[in-house]
Amino acid sequence: MKSETEDNQMDNHISYVQIKLDRKPNTKANFSKTVKGKLKKQCTFTKKKVKKTITGFFPVIKWLPKYNFKENTWGDVMSGLIIGIILVPQAIAYSLLAGLKPIYSLYTSFFANLIYFIMGTSRHVSVGIFSLLSLMVGQVVDREVQLAGFDLDDDLVYKQGSLNISDMNVTTVNISLGLIDIECGKECYAISVAAALTFIAGIYQILMGVFRLGFLSIYLSEPMLDGFATGASLTILTAQVKYLIGIKIPRSPGIGMLITTWVNIFKNIHHINYCDLITSAICIAVLVLAKELGDRYKDKIKIPLPTELVVIVVATLVSHYCNLNEVYGSSVSGVIPTGFIPPKVPNFGLVGKIAIDAVPLAVVSFAFTISLSEMFAKKYAYTVEANQEMFAIGFCNIIPSFFHCFATSAALAKSLVKTSTGCKTQVSSVISAIVVLLVLLFFAPLFYSLQKCVLACIIIVSLRGALRKFKDLPAQWNLNKIDAIIWSVTVASSALISTEIGLLVGVVFSMMCLVVRTQLPHTALLSQIQNTVFYEDADKYKNLSAIPKVKIFRFESPLYYANKVYFQQSLYKMAGMDPGLEIIRRKKQETKEKKQIKRKQAATVKDTDDSETHLQLVLKQTELQTIILDCSAIAFLDTSGIDTLKGILKDYKEVQVSMLLACCNTTVIDCLIRGEYFGKENKDIQKLLFHNIHDAVQFAHQKELPVTDSTV
């Protein structure tokens, strides 16, 4: 049997055969022909294409005929009923936040649910009034109403059944609707501003969909979405605390809402309404117990428990017959007027005043809708179309603006309630719309005694899933520290600053983390796995064999302008030699030895050949002879990356160190060829480029580095 030493000696004498592959010719399609072909394809109408376009624009046509009544009906009906009932008291708070009457919020919720049912692709989001958008609308409405000469505090009592908006305020202003000028009071003018603002925001969203900007949703990473949902949940929970304990504190919209609200809560903690506190404790206990039982026995319970509906019915009856509002001062929903106002064209004369204000409204509305759509789609394993979501939310703003409505988007709290009550499809939106319609027409008085603390309990319990993400943070930190940081930053910014800024911060921060990952990537010095042709990270694995006089360097990122300096520094550190510094060192050494020789010449008068001195310098070079760059993780190069590689190749060549490339993809090879890295007409490509690391190592072993005069 041959010894291992003999085997290694035989391996060293095996002749090296370099792999050579011929590239296929790069056939580029004619640009004009490609454009003409696409235009022809777009302008050609076939029955199949028309059908696909219609079903794509109205997704309900595709999925509704396949609706499974047996599996989906109960969950959709129950979630639709709960959301419809929750919408009623929310209309009071959110419409006042928007500077409008509660009836307009009900109109908004009714039309938005129907339109999204027809055009939306998400099965679980609840589209309608949303606190943030209501606040943004309210800021514009208040500004324009005040500029029109109205007193913001001059509000008359809104009597049940009264829909004569001309009697709302004595002060009037002329607004133009086409060729007709009419006098409009404060309430009329306020809803005119809100409707026009909503219409313009919807137009912006449609334009975003036409230009197919829905792809922007891919930048909403999962840690960022989870962090946004958790941070927004903290904000929602904070906003509901005052209803839980029955204290009256001023609303604190805008930046720092969470901190300001908690400060106001503790300042007014001595004003707790114990009736609301006891009711909240009982409702939360019942709801949490029901949720836990439902989660534990979900395999045995085929039908979701309608706990929220039961709690609302029982609480309303108790509040009504025990007269909790008058006896204990418990806050209730109050009177909701009934009836519809005739539709009206938005006041386009206001467009010049509010066009800029509509931009952030459109962006925030889309951002909330698509982020929640993506979140629920991932959770329940289906897909949503980002561009179609843009169209859907755009028309949810455009069409309702003709019916005295204001801006809408997907709402986190109601969407979480919707999923927690067994929602399966957007049929639940139709049920919610029917509930709102019945309330608008008939049942408004029945919700007069419904305590707001009960609705707050339902919303808070529905946030359990998002708030439980805090428990998963240690596991996320162990799994991926950068994702955990993205989640934490998004949570903090969403909760402590504001939800819309938190979403922006989360997107920007996650993209910055991506840039940092490519700017400061992992680098590795590779060594050979014994008795194999494979090479791995010497810092991560044991028992690897270093290659004499050869350094193998792996850079795990694209090489571009932002990380070229880091690439150079990492390579020089790994090689143990900065070629620029090495050239300077050799020049100094050469100068020093020349001086020594001149002194000897003066003493001995003996001629010394400079070339002999130069040969002595070359023999003092380091043992490093070859650097192999593993390019398997380099996805692409830009101009700076190509110039960096060319500069390093030249510098190491001057100190008689070769640099070889291995495992390059075709994109990188094409970039190097265009940059003339391999010389003119690629004359050195066979000496510098290899298909795998082992080929490069074998080439380095068999290549005899000639000892020649240094260019220095």
Side-chain angles (χ1 to χ4, degrees):
M1 177 179 287
K2 296 180 180 180
S3 65
E4 184 177 349
T5 304
E6 293 175 345
D7 289 339
N8 291 335
Q9 290 176 351
M10 291 181 64
D11 289 341
N12 291 333
H13 288 85
I14 295 176
S15 60
Y16 165 71
V17 179
Q18 184 177 2
I19 300 174
K20 183 179 179 181
L21 297 177
D22 293 329
R23 291 285 300 275
K24 291 182 178 180
N26 189 10
T27 56
K28 294 184 178 179
N30 186 279
F31 178 75
S32 60
K33 289 184 178 180
T34 303
V35 173
K36 289 179 181 179
K38 289 186 177 181
L39 289 175
K40 183 178 179 181
K41 184 178 179 181
Q42 292 293 331
C43 297
T44 302
F45 294 97
T46 61
K47 184 177 179 181
K48 184 178 180 180
K49 186 176 180 180
V50 171
K51 181 180 178 181
K52 183 179 179 180
T53 302
I54 294 175
T55 55
F57 199 72
F58 301 105
V60 67
I61 299 175
K62 184 184 297 184
W63 63 263
L64 188 59
K66 303 176 183 178
Y67 186 78
N68 191 324
F69 287 90
K70 184 177 180 180
E71 293 185 3
N72 301 334
T73 302
W74 178 257
D76 287 340
V77 170
M78 293 308 303
S79 64
L81 287 173
I82 295 295
I83 295 299
I85 293 172
I86 289 176
L87 284 173
V88 176
Q90 282 189 347
I92 299 174
Y94 290 169
S95 61
L96 293 177
L97 188 60
L100 303 168
K101 294 300 179 182
I103 192 71
Y104 300 123
S105 287
L106 291 174
Y107 293 159
T108 301
S109 299
F110 172 72
F111 287 106
N113 275 283
L114 287 181
I115 296 170
Y116 192 81
F117 162 74
I118 296 171
M119 301 188 65
T121 59
S122 175
R123 304 173 192 171
H124 296 92
V125 298
S126 177
V127 175
I129 55 174
F130 186 49
S131 57
L132 173 61
L133 295 184
S134 299
L135 175 63
M136 297 174 70
V137 170
Q139 291 172 342
V140 179
V141 168
D142 289 345
R143 184 193 69 201
E144 294 301 321
V145 167
Q146 195 169 24
L147 290 175
F150 294 103
D151 185 358
L152 292 178
D153 298 324
D154 185 15
D155 292 321
L156 299 179
V157 177
Y158 190 55
K159 298 180 181 180
Q160 184 176 6
S162 174
L163 292 173
N164 189 359
I165 57 176
S166 63
D167 296 334
M168 290 294 174
N169 205 301
V170 177
T171 306
T172 60
V173 65
N174 288 332
I175 63 174
S176 176
L177 297 176
L179 300 176
I180 304 175
D181 291 335
I182 65 171
E183 287 190 348
C184 190
K186 175 187 173 183
E187 183 61 29
C188 170
Y189 189 70
I191 190 59
S192 297
V193 173
L197 180 67
T198 301
F199 179 84
I200 299 302
I203 292 296
Y204 290 157
Q205 290 168 333
I206 295 299
L207 291 176
M208 292 168 70
V210 169
F211 291 105
R212 306 190 69 82
L213 298 181
F215 73 91
L216 296 174
S217 62
I218 65 176
Y219 295 104
L220 306 176
S221 64
E222 182 179 354
M224 190 278 298
L225 288 175
D226 287 342
F228 167 69
T230 305
S233 298
L234 291 175
T235 304
I236 294 169
L237 185 148
T238 300
Q240 304 302 316
V241 170
K242 67 177 183 179
Y243 299 115
L244 289 180
I245 60 179
I247 62 174
K248 298 185 184 301
I249 58 174
R251 296 187 65 87
S252 305
I255 295 176
M257 174 265 180
L258 185 140
I259 297 175
T260 306
T261 301
W262 280 106
V263 170
N264 289 330
I265 289 173
F266 286 113
K267 283 183 178 180
N268 296 273
I269 198 71
H270 55 282
H271 295 306
I272 287 179
N273 186 306
Y274 290 98
C275 177
D276 285 344
L277 183 62
I278 294 172
T279 303
S280 300
I282 294 173
C283 291
I284 289 178
V286 172
L287 290 170
V288 170
L289 179 61
K291 291 292 183 184
E292 293 297 330
L293 291 175
D295 293 341
R296 180 172 297 183
Y297 300 106
K298 60 183 178 181
D299 296 332
K300 298 180 180 180
I301 302 175
K302 302 299 182 181
I303 301 175
L305 298 174
T307 314
E308 290 83 359
L309 181 60
V310 173
V311 168
I312 287 175
V313 171
V314 173
T316 303
L317 292 175
V318 172
S319 176
H320 176 72
Y321 288 106
C322 295
N323 206 6
L324 299 181
N325 176 241
E326 296 181 2
V327 176
Y328 300 102
S330 180
S331 179
V332 296
S333 299
V335 175
I336 306 296
T338 58
F340 275 94
I341 300 175
K344 184 174 65 175
V345 177
N347 182 10
F348 298 116
L350 297 170
V351 171
K353 299 179 181 179
I354 59 178
I356 296 178
D357 297 302
V359 174
L361 194 69
V363 172
V364 171
S365 175
F366 162 71
F368 273 84
T369 302
I370 192 60
S371 61
L372 291 177
S373 298
E374 295 280 357
M375 182 178 70
F376 288 114
K378 184 173 183 63
K379 182 178 180 180
Y380 293 98
Y382 63 92
T383 58
V384 293
E385 297 291 337
N387 280 308
Q388 182 58 29
E389 287 293 298
M390 193 94 75
F391 284 122
I393 199 64
F395 280 103
C396 282
N397 286 324
I398 291 176
I399 297 176
S401 67
F402 290 83
F403 296 90
H404 313 281
C405 302
F406 55 92
T408 59
S409 76
L412 176 63
K414 292 193 291 293
S415 297
L416 291 173
V417 172
K418 197 172 182 179
T419 57
S420 67
T421 51
C423 172
K424 300 295 184 182
T425 69
Q426 274 296 341
V427 170
S428 62
S429 297
V430 178
I431 305 300
S432 298
I434 293 174
V435 172
V436 175
L437 178 63
L438 293 175
V439 170
L440 281 168
L441 298 179
F442 308 109
F443 300 126
L446 297 179
F447 300 101
Y448 178 89
S449 299
L450 178 58
Q451 292 171 275
K452 292 182 181 179
C453 65
V454 176
L455 296 169
C457 292
I458 293 175
I459 292 173
I460 289 175
V461 172
S462 69
L463 301 176
R464 290 186 315 148
L467 297 177
R468 281 177 175 173
K469 295 292 182 179
F470 284 103
K471 186 177 66 176
D472 301 333
L473 183 58
Q476 181 65 44
W477 178 264
N478 293 329
L479 180 64
N480 191 306
K481 291 180 174 57
I482 294 180
D483 285 348
I485 293 173
I486 292 173
W487 183 89
S488 302
V489 169
T490 309
V491 169
S493 56
S494 298
L496 300 178
I497 305 176
S498 66
T499 49
E500 69 274 20
I501 294 179
L503 183 63
L504 178 62
V505 169
V507 173
V508 173
F509 186 76
S510 61
M511 294 181 67
M512 287 178 60
C513 289
L514 179 62
V515 172
V516 170
R517 284 180 178 181
T518 60
Q519 193 172 352
L520 302 173
H522 179 259
T523 59
L525 178 63
L526 307 186
S527 295
Q528 187 176 18
I529 302 176
Q530 294 181 0
N531 302 321
T532 69
V533 295
F534 303 107
Y535 300 79
E536 269 302 342
D537 189 346
D539 292 334
K540 302 295 183 180
Y541 295 94
K542 298 179 180 179
N543 302 324
L544 299 183
S545 301
I547 309 299
K549 300 182 180 181
V550 176
K551 299 284 188 180
I552 306 172
F553 178 67
R554 176 186 291 165
F555 189 72
E556 300 179 2
S557 169
L559 180 56
Y560 66 111
Y561 68 94
N563 62 13
K564 64 177 184 179
V565 175
Y566 181 78
F567 172 81
Q568 286 180 318
Q569 293 174 346
S570 301
L571 179 62
Y572 295 162
K573 183 179 180 181
M574 178 277 304
M577 177 196 296
D578 184 332
L581 297 178
E582 180 66 16
I583 291 173
I584 294 173
R585 185 189 69 80
R586 293 189 182 187
K587 283 184 176 180
K588 290 181 178 179
Q589 183 69 20
E590 183 179 7
T591 302
K592 181 179 179 181
E593 293 197 9
K594 282 184 177 180
K595 290 181 179 179
Q596 292 177 353
I597 292 174
K598 286 182 179 180
R599 286 197 298 268
K600 290 181 180 180
Q601 285 178 340
T604 60
V605 196
K606 183 178 180 181
D607 189 19
T608 304
D609 190 7
D610 288 341
S611 62
E612 192 175 320
T613 302
H614 195 71
L615 180 62
Q616 185 180 9
L617 292 174
V618 172
L619 293 175
K620 291 182 180 179
Q621 66 181 335
T622 61
E623 293 186 355
L624 178 64
Q625 293 184 0
T626 305
I627 294 175
I628 299 174
L629 179 60
D630 178 8
C631 301
S632 58
I634 299 179
F636 64 86
L637 302 171
D638 68 352
T639 304
S640 299
I642 297 172
D643 292 340
T644 299
L645 287 179
K646 291 172 69 176
I648 292 174
L649 176 67
K650 179 182 177 182
D651 291 344
Y652 272 117
K653 187 176 181 180
E654 289 190 17
V655 294
Q656 296 181 335
V657 175
S658 300
M659 191 172 81
L660 310 179
L661 306 182
C663 306
C664 296
N665 62 49
T666 55
T667 302
V668 171
I669 294 174
D670 291 339
C671 290
L672 294 172
I673 290 174
R674 288 194 296 269
E676 296 186 348
Y677 179 84
F678 305 111
K680 292 183 179 180
E681 298 182 357
N682 302 321
K683 61 178 181 179
D684 296 328
I685 192 170
Q686 300 298 327
K687 300 178 182 178
L688 300 177
L689 181 65
F690 299 87
H691 291 285
N692 56 68
I693 298 174
H694 193 65
D695 283 350
V697 171
Q698 294 294 332
F699 180 82
H701 278 169
Q702 294 202 3
K703 180 182 177 182
E704 296 181 1
L705 293 178
V707 181
T708 59
D709 291 345
S710 171
T711 57
V712 177

